[in-house]
Amino acid sequence: MDDVLRMTRAQPVHLVVLALIGLVVLAGMYSSDRFATPLNFANVQDQMVALALVALAQTVVILSGGIDLSYAGALGLLTVVFASIAGEDPASFAAAIAVVLSLGVFIGAVNGGIVTFVGIHPLIVTLGTSTILSGLALLITRQPTGSVPLFFEDLVYGRIGMIPYGTIFTLFLYLLAGFLLWKTRLGLRIYAIGDNEQAASISGVPVKSTKLIVYALSGFLAAVTAIYICGRFGVGDPRAGVGFDLKSITPVIVGGTLLAGGRGGVLGTLLAVIVLALLANVLNFMNVSSFYQWIAEGLIIIAAVSIFVGRKSK
Amino acid sequence: MSEPVLAARALSKSFGPNDVLKGIEFEVHAGASVALCGENGAGKSTLIKLLTGLYHPTSGHVEFNGNQEDWSSPRASLDAGIAVVHQEFSTIGALSVAENIFLDAEPLTRFGLIDRKALVSRTEALLDKLGIHLPARSLVDELSVADKQMVEIAKALRSDARVLILDEPTAVLSQNETRHLFKIINELRARGLGIVYVSHRLDEIFEICTDITVIKDGVVTSQGPVADYSHDTVIAAMVGRELGNLFPEKPHGAEAGIPMLAVRDLVVADGVPPVSFEVKAGEILGLAGLVGSGRTELALAIYGAEAVSGTVLIEGEPLDYRSPSNSIDAGILMLTESRKDDGLFLNSSVARNFAATTPGHGVHPARVAIGHEEARARVMKDRFGVVVDNVGLPISALSGGNQQKVLIARLLENRPKVLILDEPTRGVDVGAKSEIYKMLRHLADEGMAILAISSELIEIVGLCDRVFVMRDGELAAELMSQEISEEAIMSVAAAETSSHHGVASNG
């Protein structure tokens, strides 16, 4: 039992998030007949996959004591590059995937390299690279551009009952990340340096290479997200990533992962992504201005962290 | 006698012009436990860092199993069999006991994944062997400080060590926990490990060590089997230096002034006995004791930063609501021990730093003239002998001693009645030290009450009119004028009380 709790990194705050999911679902059922339908549930899932993927990347980076704000620019450039290469035939599609995944890893490795070897705070480094990548994307095109093969769009929009393939893919990656954090040396190293970098270093943990891998992984997941976004919208958009820098942090924090690193896990992030997506959907049904959604999100962030802090200080 | 497991041969280490260690000869034999004694700053930590490869010697060498070794890193010495339990914990709260002990040496399955079952079973076997009772799966966060220390020891011994170095391992342990640690140490020794034991607590040394090596000012002043020593001879080897003319003369037969600061039944934290004392006008009272004996905590409690209960009176008037800002208003000011963290604005000018707590002092707040700070700072500079060309320069350009002078001058702008100084000359060169001592004596002569905390015994002895020696949070002894000596302070500070650490109070 102990091991199960530790493996899933379950925390009391997750019960609060679950309760919140219940409340939002009730509110949704009360506000509209169309809420509790397979079509709507599939719709909610489609809305949340991209956020779930970048939030997963952000969770791993934050656990290691860092932060990655480069998604805003990276997603824009990566979608533009992908849609420009992908075309209609399988060969160029495969090439586009290979190029974009490598580019994502490269962007992450550059971030990680500057953070570890130059010693600049990741907030500054990734803000800088994000801005550079945005500029590059806009140099390539000002308008959404390119195309993706139809079979890929069909795949992204396809679903089994009310479960889109995207959801299954996302859940698979979350499981994989959870496995990585629990069953590999890399996972333990991530928690160790996130909690206490100096102690980890004294204990023989290779701090620099671990950080480098973490940022590279983050870049890889950003590339995966970019490919998914292209499948959803059929084009590459230099502004596709706008807002994802901060939006990717919200579910990590609401899900109980400590911003300072070392504590938390991917389960909380997933639950938080679900609650945020449901909330947006329900407020939509209630015909509430989307600005109220911002207000609600803000309140949830502060409330979630307050509960966490309150519990710790006792 | 057999060959030592670990030895230092004519080992010297210099940092720039400072010779920290000078020709140290030191041996640890299998099955022996050697106590490493010395005052703060004597060079014990440097010796340990040389033995384990964290530092490289300037001359001389380290010998392990009879071979000359030049460790490339602490990892190399650890792999060879030298395990160290550092004073600062290297445990990681977010990981479990097992994950901590085998961090980065976890047992792996054939697929390169962590073998969770083996990790737990190997941890349990190791803890069992050491007689430590801890659940392998618990998060280290949830453990007591003492249990974290046990995790640290288990981690040091996860592979077969030949030598175990313990740096002040009992500083955070209670009596029972200390007892348990001693049992473990004795078992390890019986199994043939060589132990190096660093501690200030003499009773502990006499209980579990077989040999003693005393270091003073980077030189071995005495070494031999523990049977040849008594408390007094160890202390005599640790201390003893000429006061010289570093200190201003103390007023002889000073008539007692009125009590400026009075502390009544002040309880600093739960479980610490209440403290009561007075500091009179014109007096410099010293608070001596080992690091961790509760000196800083007591000072902060008087200042209003932390305390459970008790009364603080200024000139007989009790302070009702206690907080640092109320204390400042009432006339208590404190200079904290960490200059850079708590006191200085490193990127601002000397003048700005000096005037920070009293901006626009002496003029209407709405009419602070441009250059007012600089004008005041120039007066201060001459008065306190701060060495700086221009008070507009950033304070980071000044030496530690001059920075400290500016900070003390800043405190005085608030016209304190009571001045509390925590390590007033840490990181300050000898010349500036002497000037700071003169400054403090001058302030006392003018009627201020001064409470000084210092880890440098010579400073307490040379400067203070009266001294309280603290131990485990209580005032263990009061020393008056002629009684104040390094030996007297050390013998109280390093003794053990039956209430807390008393492992050998009856023999």
Side-chain angles (χ1 to χ4, degrees):
Chain A
M1 189 61 195
D2 265 10
D3 260 359
V4 173
L5 280 180
R6 284 218 52 227
M7 189 161 51
T8 55
R9 313 273 170 184
Q11 302 175 27
V13 72
H14 294 164
L15 294 176
V16 178
V17 178
L18 277 175
L20 218 54
I21 291 176
L23 272 179
V24 174
V25 168
L26 282 179
M29 284 167 32
Y30 177 78
S31 59
S32 170
D33 295 339
R34 284 171 300 147
F35 175 76
T37 56
L39 182 69
N40 184 51
F41 279 141
N43 181 32
V44 171
Q45 292 170 64
D46 283 339
Q47 297 290 341
M48 90 190 179
V49 167
L51 180 62
L53 291 175
V54 280
L56 177 63
Q58 191 69 272
T59 307
V60 177
V61 178
I62 288 180
L63 280 176
S64 79
I67 197 153
D68 192 343
L69 296 184
S70 69
Y71 307 138
L75 289 178
L77 181 68
L78 290 166
T79 57
V80 167
V81 170
F82 184 80
S84 307
I85 303 175
E88 282 301 326
D89 62 299
S92 59
F93 175 73
I97 286 191
V99 167
V100 166
L101 289 182
S102 325
L103 185 59
V105 171
F106 175 73
I107 292 169
V110 168
N111 281 332
I114 300 175
V115 168
T116 43
F117 295 105
V118 186
I120 304 176
H121 194 283
L123 198 78
I124 299 166
V125 175
T126 56
L127 193 61
T129 48
S130 179
T131 312
I132 293 169
L133 296 170
S134 291
L136 284 177
L138 285 164
L139 274 179
I140 296 173
T141 173
R142 301 256 202 95
Q143 303 299 326
T145 188
S147 62
V148 297
L150 265 178
F151 73 84
F152 182 54
E153 280 192 52
D154 287 345
L155 188 70
V156 168
Y157 279 94
R159 54 183 212 240
I160 304 168
M162 53 186 237
I163 313 285
Y165 295 138
T167 302
I168 296 168
F169 180 65
T170 306
L171 286 178
F172 171 71
L173 285 184
Y174 268 77
L175 277 174
L176 205 62
F179 182 80
L180 173 108
L181 291 170
W182 175 248
K183 272 296 248 185
T184 67
R185 235 173 227 187
L186 176 67
L188 288 193
R189 285 172 179 170
I190 288 172
Y191 278 99
I193 65 172
D195 187 38
N196 188 338
E197 192 174 320
Q198 217 192 340
S201 172
I202 294 173
S203 308
V205 172
V207 173
K208 288 185 172 171
S209 65
T210 305
K211 279 191 185 177
L212 203 61
I213 292 172
V214 164
Y215 284 96
L217 190 66
S218 170
F220 177 81
L221 284 172
V224 171
T225 313
I227 294 169
Y228 175 82
I229 290 174
C230 284
R232 285 267 297 158
F233 299 109
V235 288
D237 180 354
R239 291 177 223 276
V242 172
F244 268 105
D245 42 4
L246 297 182
K247 268 199 288 184
S248 68
I249 301 173
T250 307
V252 182
I253 296 173
V254 173
T257 294
L258 203 60
L259 193 56
R263 317 292 156 107
V266 296
L267 173 65
T269 304
L270 184 62
L271 292 176
V273 168
I274 293 172
V275 89
L276 292 172
L278 279 171
L279 185 72
N281 182 258
V282 169
L283 289 178
N284 219 354
F285 274 118
M286 293 167 109
N287 271 330
V288 179
S289 154
S290 69
F291 300 126
Y292 282 103
Q293 191 192 326
W294 293 11
I295 295 174
E297 262 192 52
L299 289 174
I300 288 177
I301 295 173
I302 296 171
V305 177
S306 306
I307 291 167
F308 187 67
V309 170
R311 196 170 56 81
K312 271 212 112 175
S313 63
K314 266 173 211 157
Chain B
M1 204 167 183
S2 66
E3 189 177 61
V5 199
L6 179 65
R9 302 290 180 208
L11 204 60
S12 298
K13 178 69 184 174
S14 307
F15 294 101
N18 290 335
D19 299 329
V20 179
L21 289 182
K22 288 166 266 187
I24 297 282
E25 293 283 342
F26 177 73
E27 289 187 350
V28 192
H29 290 266
S33 56
V34 185
L36 202 53
C37 305
E39 263 193 272
N40 293 322
K44 293 171 303 200
S45 319
T46 310
L47 177 57
I48 291 177
K49 286 173 182 161
L50 286 169
L51 290 174
T52 56
L54 201 63
Y55 291 166
H56 292 278
T58 312
S59 66
H61 66 267
V62 175
E63 222 174 75
F64 185 68
N65 282 335
N67 301 319
Q68 182 171 338
E69 297 284 358
D70 187 16
W71 309 120
S72 55
S73 72
R75 186 89 199 198
S77 68
L78 177 66
D79 290 343
I82 303 179
V84 190
V85 177
H86 288 284
Q87 221 171 332
E88 311 86 34
F89 289 166
S90 68
T91 52
I92 287 161
L95 300 182
S96 72
V97 170
E99 287 165 344
N100 261 283
I101 291 175
F102 286 98
L103 184 57
D104 237 55
E106 300 91 353
L108 299 179
T109 63
R110 25 195 186 114
F111 306 109
L113 299 173
I114 291 173
D115 188 343
R116 288 269 165 191
K117 269 189 195 138
L119 178 65
V120 169
S121 62
R122 278 178 62 182
T123 302
E124 280 168 351
L126 176 68
L127 292 176
D128 210 43
K129 195 172 88 176
L130 295 173
I132 297 172
H133 303 289
L134 284 177
R137 287 189 175 87
S138 290
L139 275 190
V140 163
D141 248 355
E142 292 156 7
L143 302 182
S144 68
V145 181
D147 287 342
K148 282 182 190 161
Q149 180 76 284
M150 295 301 169
V151 171
E152 195 82 358
I153 291 170
K155 185 172 160 186
L157 295 171
R158 75 181 177 205
S159 51
D160 281 333
R162 300 285 316 276
V163 177
L164 176 64
I165 301 176
L166 297 135
D167 193 357
E168 296 269 5
T170 59
V172 292
L173 301 188
S174 73
Q175 185 186 344
N176 279 337
E177 293 155 352
T178 303
R179 286 254 65 93
H180 185 70
L181 175 67
F182 285 2
K183 221 178 99 205
I184 292 172
I185 292 176
N186 281 329
E187 281 167 13
L188 291 172
R189 197 158 65 76
R191 243 186 278 151
L193 261 76
I195 311 273
V196 178
Y197 190 84
V198 180
S199 177
H200 283 291
R201 297 176 191 277
L202 292 178
D203 287 330
E204 293 181 4
I205 289 169
F206 281 95
E207 183 176 351
I208 62 153
C209 293
T210 54
D211 299 270
I212 290 183
T213 295
V214 184
I215 299 181
K216 190 180 91 182
D217 296 336
V219 179
V220 173
T221 51
S222 177
Q223 61 194 158
V226 81
D228 295 354
Y229 286 89
S230 69
H231 279 51
D232 291 343
T233 50
V234 175
I235 290 171
M238 280 163 66
V239 301
R241 234 171 301 161
E242 293 302 312
L243 288 187
N245 50 12
L246 194 57
F247 296 96
E249 209 167 313
K250 294 182 193 177
H252 289 291
E255 67 277 22
I258 56 157
M260 198 59 114
L261 169 75
V263 175
R264 303 254 179 275
D265 299 323
L266 188 66
V267 177
V268 177
D270 286 319
V272 176
V275 168
S276 300
F277 68 93
E278 290 179 346
V279 191
K280 301 188 180 68
E283 183 183 44
I284 302 180
L285 177 71
L287 272 185
L290 302 176
V291 173
S293 60
R295 300 167 309 178
T296 299
E297 289 75 9
L298 175 59
L300 284 172
I302 295 170
Y303 190 53
E306 52 182 64
V308 176
S309 66
T311 324
V312 173
L313 304 92
I314 292 291
E315 292 181 296
E317 290 288 316
L319 304 178
D320 314 331
Y321 177 71
R322 302 207 314 106
S323 70
S325 76
N326 279 34
S327 295
I328 292 170
D329 290 345
I332 307 180
L333 286 181
M334 177 161 173
L335 185 66
T336 56
E337 60 183 321
S338 47
R339 195 160 59 228
K340 290 202 169 110
D341 294 340
D342 301 346
L344 290 177
F345 305 98
L346 281 172
N347 297 322
S348 296
S349 70
V350 173
R352 177 59 53 83
N353 267 282
F354 165 65
T357 56
T358 53
H361 192 65
V363 293
H364 190 277
R367 292 197 204 119
V368 183
I370 292 170
H372 178 74
E373 282 180 356
E374 284 74 12
R376 282 171 60 204
R378 275 193 293 273
V379 175
M380 176 274 303
K381 174 190 153 204
D382 295 338
R383 207 173 129 211
F384 292 96
V386 176
V387 183
V388 57
D389 295 337
N390 180 340
V391 291
L393 289 175
I395 197 153
S396 52
L398 270 59
S399 71
N402 283 306
Q403 289 179 351
Q404 195 76 329
K405 284 185 211 164
V406 173
L407 279 181
I408 295 175
R410 173 164 93 194
L411 291 181
L412 298 178
E413 287 296 289
N414 280 315
R415 314 240 171 264
K417 294 167 183 159
V418 177
L419 192 56
I420 303 174
L421 306 149
D422 196 354
E423 305 285 2
T425 64
R426 175 176 290 173
V428 169
D429 63 89
V430 177
K433 272 186 182 180
S434 171
E435 285 175 44
I436 289 173
Y437 298 144
K438 282 201 192 82
M439 192 158 127
L440 295 179
R441 176 54 68 190
H442 181 68
L443 292 169
D445 288 344
E446 284 182 341
M448 202 178 288
I450 296 178
L451 182 65
I453 297 175
S454 179
S455 295
E456 293 183 46
L457 288 180
I458 192 160
E459 184 165 292
I460 293 275
V461 173
L463 185 67
C464 299
D465 302 311
R466 191 157 60 97
V467 174
F468 280 113
V469 185
M470 293 197 70
R471 192 180 56 213
D472 298 334
E474 50 186 341
L475 300 178
E478 180 180 8
L479 304 172
M480 308 291 283
S481 53
Q482 293 307 317
E483 302 162 0
I484 304 173
S485 68
E486 293 186 60
E487 288 86 347
I489 293 170
M490 209 56 196
S491 60
V492 177
E496 296 180 61
T497 54
S498 51
S499 64
H500 188 193
H501 289 278
V503 280
S505 50
N506 298 321

